[in-house]
Amino acid sequence: MKPILSCSAAKFVYNSFTAADDITFELHGGEYLAILGENGSGKSTLMKGVLGLLKPASGKISYSGIKPQEIGYLPQQTVVQKDFPATVWEITLSGCQNRLGFPPFYSGAAKNRALDSLKYMQAEDLKSKPFRNLSGGQQQRVLLARALCAADKLLMLDEPAAGLDPVMTERLYALLSELNSQRGMAILMISHDPESAVRYSGKILHLSRNGHFFGTKDEYCSTPLYKRFGGSNA
Amino acid sequence: MLEILGELFSHNFIIRALLVGILISLCTALLGVSLVLKRYSMIGAGLSHVGFGAMAIALAFNFAPLKLSIPVVLISAFFLLRISENSRIKSDAAIALISSSSLAAGVMVIYRSTGINTDVCNYMFGTILTTSKSDVYISVISAITVLAVYIIFYNKIFAVTFDETFAKAAGSNAGFYNMLIALLTALVIVVGMRLMGAMLISSLIIFPALTAMRIFSSFRGVVICAAVTSVFSFFIGIAVSFASETPAGASIVAVNLAVFILFYILGLSLRRTRWAN
C-alpha cells in the first residue's frame, strides 16, 4: 500500500540557517508515528514543512489520497490564546474553515461536524464556556476537537502534553490511542517524552545532528539514541 | 440634556458629522478587536501619524487632503504590517520610528507653509465643523465597504486572529486577511482623522475592544459590545463637545475612558460573584 505521506531527503532552511537536513520517513494510513529529538533538532520545522507552511530547500514531501489542508493540526499554544475572548464553540467551529466556500459562512453540516468532534472529545458540556477559563487539559481537548473537524485520516500534534500535569497527560495520550485504534486515524506527534512515545506509538523518527533514526519502536529501543535520550529507565 | 440634543440635531453640519462619526466608530470598533488581540494596536497609532504628515503636505500644496492621504496611508499600512511580521526587526520600535518621522515631516511642512493655524489644529485634535459634502460621500462609501467586507469575512477573520498557524495549515490565506485588516484600518483612520484628530483617532481602535473584553468572553460578544460602546461613546462625546465647546476628539476619548473604567469595575465585580458562587 502507498504511504499517505512520504518525505524523502528533505532539508529545511530558516533565515539562512539549516534547521533540519536529510529527513526521510513514510507514514501509512492508521499508523502512529512519534517524532523525538533535542531542542533545535528541527522537529517543529519538519512539521511546518509537512503541513505546507514551509517549502523544503531540497528533497520532496508528497501526499497520497489526502491534501495538506485535510490534516488535523494541533499547534503549540500561543501567548495570544491565553486570554483570548472566544467560546469553545467558536473555536471548535473554526476547525471547519478548510471547508468554507464563498461567502465563507459555516453550513449546517459543518456545525454538526463540530458538535460531533466535541462529543467525541467529551467536551460537549464545555460548548458555551469561555476558552480562557478552562484548565490546560480542557483547552487541549477543545483544540483537539478543532483538529478533528479538519481531519478524517491524519492528525499532527506539536507537543500536545506541554504544560499538562501527569493525569491530564495520560488522559490525552489515551484519547489519541483511541482515535488511532478505533477510527484508524494516522497520528504524527512531536514529543518531548521518549517513554510515552515508545509506549503509545508504533514508529519513531528521532532527529539528531549525528544522523536520524527512523523505524519501529522495538528497533528504536535497542539503539544507543534511546538509551542516551530515554534517560535512567531505559 | 434634551435641549442640547434638540439643538444638536438642528444643525446640518452636526448631522453630517454624526453620520460620518457613527460609521467610523462602528468600523474602528470591529477592526480594533482583531488588532488588539493580534498585538497590532500600535499599527493604528503609527498610521494616524503618517496620515497627519500626508494631510500637512496636502494642505501646503492645496491638494484635497483625503485624496492624497488615503493612498499614502494605505501604502504605509502595507509596509507597517510587513515590518510587524518580520521577526528580525523589533516591530514596535520600527513603528515608533515611522510615526515620529512622519509627524516631524508634517510639522516642518506646516511651519514652512501655513503655520499652526486653526485648520492644522483641527487635524491634530479633531473638529465636528466643516465636514464637507464630498468628505461625507468618501467617508460613507469607505465605511460601508469596511462593514461589508468585515461581515462577509467574519469567520475567516476570527480564525486568523485566534490561531494564524492553524488557519494557514487549513489552507486559509492568513497573509491576505492580515493585509485586509491593515488596509481597512488605514482607510478608516484617514477618513476619521478630520473628526477625531490625528493624535487621538487610534483610541477609537483600542478603547472599544478593551472595554468589551472586560465583560464578554465570546468573540462575537466582544465584537458586538465593542461596536455598541464605540457608537455610544462617540454620540455622548459629540454632545459633550458641543455643550462644553471642547474639541470633538478629546471629548470622545474622555467618554471612552469613562466607559472603560465603568466596564473594568463591572468586570471585576462580576468575576468576584462568580468565584463566590
PDB file of all heavy atoms in Angstrom, chain A residues 59-83:
ATOM      1  N   GLY A  59      14.890  18.044  -1.499  1.00  0.00           N
ATOM      2  CA  GLY A  59      14.141  16.858  -1.093  1.00  0.00           C
ATOM      3  C   GLY A  59      12.678  17.002  -1.468  1.00  0.00           C
ATOM      4  O   GLY A  59      12.282  17.963  -2.122  1.00  0.00           O
ATOM      5  N   LYS A  60      11.868  16.038  -1.027  1.00  0.00           N
ATOM      6  CA  LYS A  60      10.487  16.012  -1.501  1.00  0.00           C
ATOM      7  C   LYS A  60       9.529  15.540  -0.412  1.00  0.00           C
ATOM      8  O   LYS A  60       9.831  14.628   0.351  1.00  0.00           O
ATOM      9  CB  LYS A  60      10.402  15.064  -2.704  1.00  0.00           C
ATOM     10  CG  LYS A  60       9.273  15.426  -3.642  1.00  0.00           C
ATOM     11  CD  LYS A  60       9.265  14.472  -4.837  1.00  0.00           C
ATOM     12  CE  LYS A  60       7.835  14.332  -5.325  1.00  0.00           C
ATOM     13  NZ  LYS A  60       7.579  13.042  -5.909  1.00  0.00           N
ATOM     14  N   ILE A  61       8.372  16.206  -0.337  1.00  0.00           N
ATOM     15  CA  ILE A  61       7.311  15.768   0.562  1.00  0.00           C
ATOM     16  C   ILE A  61       6.090  15.520  -0.299  1.00  0.00           C
ATOM     17  O   ILE A  61       5.676  16.396  -1.054  1.00  0.00           O
ATOM     18  CB  ILE A  61       6.993  16.851   1.613  1.00  0.00           C
ATOM     19  CG1 ILE A  61       8.181  16.998   2.560  1.00  0.00           C
ATOM     20  CG2 ILE A  61       5.741  16.491   2.394  1.00  0.00           C
ATOM     21  CD1 ILE A  61       8.066  18.160   3.496  1.00  0.00           C
ATOM     22  N   SER A  62       5.529  14.312  -0.236  1.00  0.00           N
ATOM     23  CA  SER A  62       4.363  14.082  -1.089  1.00  0.00           C
ATOM     24  C   SER A  62       3.259  13.354  -0.343  1.00  0.00           C
ATOM     25  O   SER A  62       3.498  12.623   0.620  1.00  0.00           O
ATOM     26  CB  SER A  62       4.780  13.292  -2.330  1.00  0.00           C
ATOM     27  OG  SER A  62       5.355  12.079  -1.945  1.00  0.00           O
ATOM     28  N   TYR A  63       2.029  13.601  -0.785  1.00  0.00           N
ATOM     29  CA  TYR A  63       0.846  13.023  -0.168  1.00  0.00           C
ATOM     30  C   TYR A  63       0.169  12.096  -1.151  1.00  0.00           C
ATOM     31  O   TYR A  63       0.265  12.269  -2.353  1.00  0.00           O
ATOM     32  CB  TYR A  63      -0.133  14.122   0.217  1.00  0.00           C
ATOM     33  CG  TYR A  63       0.337  14.940   1.376  1.00  0.00           C
ATOM     34  CD1 TYR A  63       1.052  16.110   1.162  1.00  0.00           C
ATOM     35  CD2 TYR A  63       0.084  14.528   2.664  1.00  0.00           C
ATOM     36  CE1 TYR A  63       1.501  16.855   2.220  1.00  0.00           C
ATOM     37  CE2 TYR A  63       0.526  15.267   3.732  1.00  0.00           C
ATOM     38  CZ  TYR A  63       1.231  16.422   3.501  1.00  0.00           C
ATOM     39  OH  TYR A  63       1.677  17.158   4.562  1.00  0.00           O
ATOM     40  N   SER A  64      -0.568  11.144  -0.605  1.00  0.00           N
ATOM     41  CA  SER A  64      -1.350  10.282  -1.470  1.00  0.00           C
ATOM     42  C   SER A  64      -2.723  10.105  -0.831  1.00  0.00           C
ATOM     43  O   SER A  64      -2.834   9.661   0.306  1.00  0.00           O
ATOM     44  CB  SER A  64      -0.619   8.951  -1.633  1.00  0.00           C
ATOM     45  OG  SER A  64      -1.512   7.979  -2.069  1.00  0.00           O
ATOM     46  N   GLY A  65      -3.758  10.511  -1.539  1.00  0.00           N
ATOM     47  CA  GLY A  65      -5.126  10.359  -1.050  1.00  0.00           C
ATOM     48  C   GLY A  65      -5.519  11.347   0.017  1.00  0.00           C
ATOM     49  O   GLY A  65      -6.541  11.189   0.674  1.00  0.00           O
ATOM     50  N   ILE A  66      -4.715  12.379   0.213  1.00  0.00           N
ATOM     51  CA  ILE A  66      -5.039  13.380   1.233  1.00  0.00           C
ATOM     52  C   ILE A  66      -4.357  14.687   0.827  1.00  0.00           C
ATOM     53  O   ILE A  66      -3.293  14.689   0.215  1.00  0.00           O
ATOM     54  CB  ILE A  66      -4.561  12.905   2.634  1.00  0.00           C
ATOM     55  CG1 ILE A  66      -4.923  13.920   3.710  1.00  0.00           C
ATOM     56  CG2 ILE A  66      -3.078  12.634   2.657  1.00  0.00           C
ATOM     57  CD1 ILE A  66      -4.662  13.397   5.117  1.00  0.00           C
ATOM     58  N   LYS A  67      -5.026  15.820   1.135  1.00  0.00           N
ATOM     59  CA  LYS A  67      -4.421  17.124   0.833  1.00  0.00           C
ATOM     60  C   LYS A  67      -3.873  17.715   2.137  1.00  0.00           C
ATOM     61  O   LYS A  67      -4.394  17.418   3.210  1.00  0.00           O
ATOM     62  CB  LYS A  67      -5.486  18.080   0.288  1.00  0.00           C
ATOM     63  CG  LYS A  67      -5.899  17.767  -1.132  1.00  0.00           C
ATOM     64  CD  LYS A  67      -6.848  18.864  -1.617  1.00  0.00           C
ATOM     65  CE  LYS A  67      -7.886  18.308  -2.553  1.00  0.00           C
ATOM     66  NZ  LYS A  67      -9.211  18.843  -2.354  1.00  0.00           N
ATOM     67  N   PRO A  68      -2.858  18.585   2.049  1.00  0.00           N
ATOM     68  CA  PRO A  68      -2.317  19.185   3.278  1.00  0.00           C
ATOM     69  C   PRO A  68      -3.408  19.883   4.101  1.00  0.00           C
ATOM     70  O   PRO A  68      -3.349  19.866   5.336  1.00  0.00           O
ATOM     71  CB  PRO A  68      -1.301  20.201   2.758  1.00  0.00           C
ATOM     72  CG  PRO A  68      -0.897  19.710   1.428  1.00  0.00           C
ATOM     73  CD  PRO A  68      -2.069  18.969   0.861  1.00  0.00           C
ATOM     74  N   GLN A  69      -4.436  20.482   3.437  1.00  0.00           N
ATOM     75  CA  GLN A  69      -5.488  21.188   4.193  1.00  0.00           C
ATOM     76  C   GLN A  69      -6.390  20.226   4.960  1.00  0.00           C
ATOM     77  O   GLN A  69      -7.172  20.649   5.785  1.00  0.00           O
ATOM     78  CB  GLN A  69      -6.390  22.014   3.279  1.00  0.00           C
ATOM     79  CG  GLN A  69      -5.726  23.082   2.496  1.00  0.00           C
ATOM     80  CD  GLN A  69      -5.356  22.574   1.125  1.00  0.00           C
ATOM     81  OE1 GLN A  69      -4.314  21.953   0.962  1.00  0.00           O
ATOM     82  NE2 GLN A  69      -6.206  22.800   0.145  1.00  0.00           N
ATOM     83  N   GLU A  70      -6.304  18.923   4.634  1.00  0.00           N
ATOM     84  CA  GLU A  70      -7.181  17.962   5.298  1.00  0.00           C
ATOM     85  C   GLU A  70      -6.515  17.292   6.499  1.00  0.00           C
ATOM     86  O   GLU A  70      -7.005  16.299   7.008  1.00  0.00           O
ATOM     87  CB  GLU A  70      -7.641  16.898   4.292  1.00  0.00           C
ATOM     88  CG  GLU A  70      -8.605  17.466   3.282  1.00  0.00           C
ATOM     89  CD  GLU A  70      -8.843  16.514   2.124  1.00  0.00           C
ATOM     90  OE1 GLU A  70      -8.273  15.405   2.110  1.00  0.00           O
ATOM     91  OE2 GLU A  70      -9.601  16.897   1.224  1.00  0.00           O
ATOM     92  N   ILE A  71      -5.374  17.855   6.907  1.00  0.00           N
ATOM     93  CA  ILE A  71      -4.698  17.339   8.094  1.00  0.00           C
ATOM     94  C   ILE A  71      -5.242  18.079   9.306  1.00  0.00           C
ATOM     95  O   ILE A  71      -5.402  19.295   9.273  1.00  0.00           O
ATOM     96  CB  ILE A  71      -3.179  17.583   7.984  1.00  0.00           C
ATOM     97  CG1 ILE A  71      -2.617  16.848   6.780  1.00  0.00           C
ATOM     98  CG2 ILE A  71      -2.481  17.146   9.265  1.00  0.00           C
ATOM     99  CD1 ILE A  71      -1.195  17.231   6.461  1.00  0.00           C
ATOM    100  N   GLY A  72      -5.561  17.328  10.359  1.00  0.00           N
ATOM    101  CA  GLY A  72      -5.950  17.996  11.603  1.00  0.00           C
ATOM    102  C   GLY A  72      -4.686  18.373  12.343  1.00  0.00           C
ATOM    103  O   GLY A  72      -3.804  17.546  12.532  1.00  0.00           O
ATOM    104  N   TYR A  73      -4.568  19.621  12.743  1.00  0.00           N
ATOM    105  CA  TYR A  73      -3.308  20.090  13.295  1.00  0.00           C
ATOM    106  C   TYR A  73      -3.543  20.661  14.686  1.00  0.00           C
ATOM    107  O   TYR A  73      -4.473  21.423  14.903  1.00  0.00           O
ATOM    108  CB  TYR A  73      -2.743  21.156  12.351  1.00  0.00           C
ATOM    109  CG  TYR A  73      -1.447  21.807  12.777  1.00  0.00           C
ATOM    110  CD1 TYR A  73      -0.427  21.080  13.372  1.00  0.00           C
ATOM    111  CD2 TYR A  73      -1.230  23.155  12.540  1.00  0.00           C
ATOM    112  CE1 TYR A  73       0.758  21.693  13.738  1.00  0.00           C
ATOM    113  CE2 TYR A  73      -0.044  23.775  12.893  1.00  0.00           C
ATOM    114  CZ  TYR A  73       0.948  23.034  13.502  1.00  0.00           C
ATOM    115  OH  TYR A  73       2.112  23.647  13.855  1.00  0.00           O
ATOM    116  N   LEU A  74      -2.704  20.257  15.615  1.00  0.00           N
ATOM    117  CA  LEU A  74      -2.755  20.818  16.969  1.00  0.00           C
ATOM    118  C   LEU A  74      -1.430  21.518  17.220  1.00  0.00           C
ATOM    119  O   LEU A  74      -0.449  20.881  17.590  1.00  0.00           O
ATOM    120  CB  LEU A  74      -2.983  19.708  17.996  1.00  0.00           C
ATOM    121  CG  LEU A  74      -3.143  20.166  19.442  1.00  0.00           C
ATOM    122  CD1 LEU A  74      -4.446  20.893  19.654  1.00  0.00           C
ATOM    123  CD2 LEU A  74      -3.084  18.981  20.389  1.00  0.00           C
ATOM    124  N   PRO A  75      -1.372  22.840  16.957  1.00  0.00           N
ATOM    125  CA  PRO A  75      -0.110  23.550  17.142  1.00  0.00           C
ATOM    126  C   PRO A  75       0.163  23.791  18.622  1.00  0.00           C
ATOM    127  O   PRO A  75      -0.710  23.564  19.462  1.00  0.00           O
ATOM    128  CB  PRO A  75      -0.330  24.888  16.421  1.00  0.00           C
ATOM    129  CG  PRO A  75      -1.781  25.006  16.159  1.00  0.00           C
ATOM    130  CD  PRO A  75      -2.455  23.713  16.505  1.00  0.00           C
ATOM    131  N   GLN A  76       1.370  24.246  18.925  1.00  0.00           N
ATOM    132  CA  GLN A  76       1.642  24.653  20.303  1.00  0.00           C
ATOM    133  C   GLN A  76       0.823  25.910  20.591  1.00  0.00           C
ATOM    134  O   GLN A  76       0.631  26.729  19.714  1.00  0.00           O
ATOM    135  CB  GLN A  76       3.129  24.970  20.476  1.00  0.00           C
ATOM    136  CG  GLN A  76       3.987  23.736  20.400  1.00  0.00           C
ATOM    137  CD  GLN A  76       5.437  24.019  20.769  1.00  0.00           C
ATOM    138  OE1 GLN A  76       5.719  24.875  21.579  1.00  0.00           O
ATOM    139  NE2 GLN A  76       6.345  23.291  20.162  1.00  0.00           N
ATOM    140  N   GLN A  77       0.357  26.034  21.821  1.00  0.00           N
ATOM    141  CA  GLN A  77      -0.458  27.198  22.144  1.00  0.00           C
ATOM    142  C   GLN A  77       0.389  28.466  22.159  1.00  0.00           C
ATOM    143  O   GLN A  77       1.555  28.432  22.520  1.00  0.00           O
ATOM    144  CB  GLN A  77      -1.135  27.016  23.503  1.00  0.00           C
ATOM    145  CG  GLN A  77      -2.339  26.101  23.396  1.00  0.00           C
ATOM    146  CD  GLN A  77      -3.293  26.292  24.552  1.00  0.00           C
ATOM    147  OE1 GLN A  77      -3.632  27.410  24.909  1.00  0.00           O
ATOM    148  NE2 GLN A  77      -3.729  25.187  25.129  1.00  0.00           N
ATOM    149  N   THR A  78      -0.230  29.572  21.742  1.00  0.00           N
ATOM    150  CA  THR A  78       0.495  30.835  21.691  1.00  0.00           C
ATOM    151  C   THR A  78       0.067  31.732  22.853  1.00  0.00           C
ATOM    152  O   THR A  78      -0.938  31.479  23.507  1.00  0.00           O
ATOM    153  CB  THR A  78       0.190  31.581  20.374  1.00  0.00           C
ATOM    154  OG1 THR A  78      -1.213  31.862  20.343  1.00  0.00           O
ATOM    155  CG2 THR A  78       0.558  30.744  19.176  1.00  0.00           C
ATOM    156  N   VAL A  79       0.853  32.768  23.092  1.00  0.00           N
ATOM    157  CA  VAL A  79       0.561  33.712  24.171  1.00  0.00           C
ATOM    158  C   VAL A  79      -0.799  34.378  23.930  1.00  0.00           C
ATOM    159  O   VAL A  79      -1.566  34.616  24.853  1.00  0.00           O
ATOM    160  CB  VAL A  79       1.646  34.820  24.218  1.00  0.00           C
ATOM    161  CG1 VAL A  79       1.543  35.600  25.499  1.00  0.00           C
ATOM    162  CG2 VAL A  79       3.019  34.220  24.046  1.00  0.00           C
ATOM    163  N   VAL A  80      -1.053  34.680  22.641  1.00  0.00           N
ATOM    164  CA  VAL A  80      -2.298  35.367  22.277  1.00  0.00           C
ATOM    165  C   VAL A  80      -3.517  34.600  22.775  1.00  0.00           C
ATOM    166  O   VAL A  80      -4.501  35.174  23.228  1.00  0.00           O
ATOM    167  CB  VAL A  80      -2.356  35.536  20.743  1.00  0.00           C
ATOM    168  CG1 VAL A  80      -3.703  36.060  20.299  1.00  0.00           C
ATOM    169  CG2 VAL A  80      -1.259  36.475  20.284  1.00  0.00           C
ATOM    170  N   GLN A  81      -3.444  33.250  22.728  1.00  0.00           N
ATOM    171  CA  GLN A  81      -4.626  32.448  23.052  1.00  0.00           C
ATOM    172  C   GLN A  81      -4.944  32.410  24.538  1.00  0.00           C
ATOM    173  O   GLN A  81      -6.056  32.096  24.918  1.00  0.00           O
ATOM    174  CB  GLN A  81      -4.428  31.026  22.530  1.00  0.00           C
ATOM    175  CG  GLN A  81      -4.461  30.970  21.019  1.00  0.00           C
ATOM    176  CD  GLN A  81      -3.931  29.666  20.476  1.00  0.00           C
ATOM    177  OE1 GLN A  81      -3.645  28.745  21.226  1.00  0.00           O
ATOM    178  NE2 GLN A  81      -3.787  29.592  19.172  1.00  0.00           N
ATOM    179  N   LYS A  82      -3.960  32.729  25.376  1.00  0.00           N
ATOM    180  CA  LYS A  82      -4.160  32.585  26.823  1.00  0.00           C
ATOM    181  C   LYS A  82      -5.329  33.407  27.349  1.00  0.00           C
ATOM    182  O   LYS A  82      -6.082  32.954  28.193  1.00  0.00           O
ATOM    183  CB  LYS A  82      -2.872  32.976  27.564  1.00  0.00           C
ATOM    184  CG  LYS A  82      -1.776  31.937  27.357  1.00  0.00           C
ATOM    185  CD  LYS A  82      -1.216  31.450  28.676  1.00  0.00           C
ATOM    186  CE  LYS A  82      -0.617  30.064  28.524  1.00  0.00           C
ATOM    187  NZ  LYS A  82       0.523  30.035  27.618  1.00  0.00           N
ATOM    188  N   ASP A  83      -5.468  34.659  26.856  1.00  0.00           N
ATOM    189  CA  ASP A  83      -6.579  35.483  27.348  1.00  0.00           C
ATOM    190  C   ASP A  83      -7.505  35.886  26.204  1.00  0.00           C
ATOM    191  O   ASP A  83      -8.117  36.935  26.220  1.00  0.00           O
ATOM    192  CB  ASP A  83      -6.053  36.720  28.089  1.00  0.00           C
ATOM    193  CG  ASP A  83      -5.227  37.614  27.188  1.00  0.00           C
ATOM    194  OD1 ASP A  83      -4.808  37.134  26.126  1.00  0.00           O
ATOM    195  OD2 ASP A  83      -5.019  38.786  27.528  1.00  0.00           O
TER     196      ASP A  83
END
